[in-house]
């Protein structure tokens, strides 16, 4: 499980996260209690929820997928989703993660 801080202005709101998922992944989004779950590309499951005012994400990979196109497409969509949902670029997310570890 990975937790992501949200940039100011990006509310820890599950409906907003749902919209970001829908924009990034052309897949059915299931609601499981207070969690959103999809299955797409290399993700057997991608589960997203709000925890401690942060976005929590848990993924389970489908190791049977070997098509490079599918792998690259899924990774790009995932990065786009993280950017839309958190407001932080990959570089900024890495910097935030390093700051959290050093605390």
């Amino acid at each position: 499980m990975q937790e992501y801080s949200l940039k100011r202005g990006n509310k820890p709101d599950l409906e907003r996260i749902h919209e970001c998922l829908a924009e990034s992944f052309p897949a059915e989004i299931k609601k499981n209690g207070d969690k959103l779950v999809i299955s797409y590309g290399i993700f057997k499951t991608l589960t997203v929820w709000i925890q401690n005012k942060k976005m929590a994400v848990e993924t389970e990979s489908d190791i049977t997928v070997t098509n490079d196109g599918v792998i690259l497409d899924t990774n790009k969509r995932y990065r786009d989703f993280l950017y839309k949902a958190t407001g932080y670029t990959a570089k900024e997310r890495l910097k935030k993660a390093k700051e959290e570890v050093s605390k």
Side-chain angles (χ1 to χ4, degrees):
M1 192 261 297
Q2 183 74 42
E3 278 190 341
Y4 296 96
S5 297
L6 303 175
K7 200 172 199 173
R8 179 175 287 160
N10 290 12
K11 293 182 192 159
D13 172 43
L14 208 56
E15 284 305 309
R16 188 183 68 76
I17 301 298
H18 186 284
E19 289 172 16
C20 295
L21 265 176
E23 285 175 25
S24 302
F25 295 98
E28 180 188 354
I29 302 170
K30 296 177 183 142
K31 199 160 188 184
N32 183 359
D34 60 350
K35 296 181 178 184
L36 302 173
V37 183
I38 69 163
S39 178
Y40 181 88
I42 60 170
F43 293 128
K44 203 178 273 186
T45 58
L46 173 91
T47 308
V48 184
W49 67 98
I50 301 298
Q51 179 174 297
N52 304 325
K53 295 186 179 178
K54 292 184 176 185
M55 182 177 74
V57 179
E58 195 167 73
T59 59
E60 183 184 349
S61 298
D62 183 349
I63 57 172
T64 63
V65 177
T66 56
N67 181 320
D68 286 346
V70 172
I71 294 167
L72 292 171
D73 173 65
T74 306
N75 283 334
K76 182 187 181 315
R77 289 176 184 278
Y78 184 59
R79 286 192 310 275
D80 289 348
F81 162 69
L82 289 177
Y83 176 68
K84 288 174 186 171
T86 66
Y88 291 114
T89 63
K91 206 178 265 188
E92 291 169 324
R93 287 193 306 272
L94 179 63
K95 186 178 173 189
K96 282 270 178 205
K98 285 181 179 177
E99 287 172 6
E100 290 292 320
V101 169
S102 67
K103 284 184 182 178

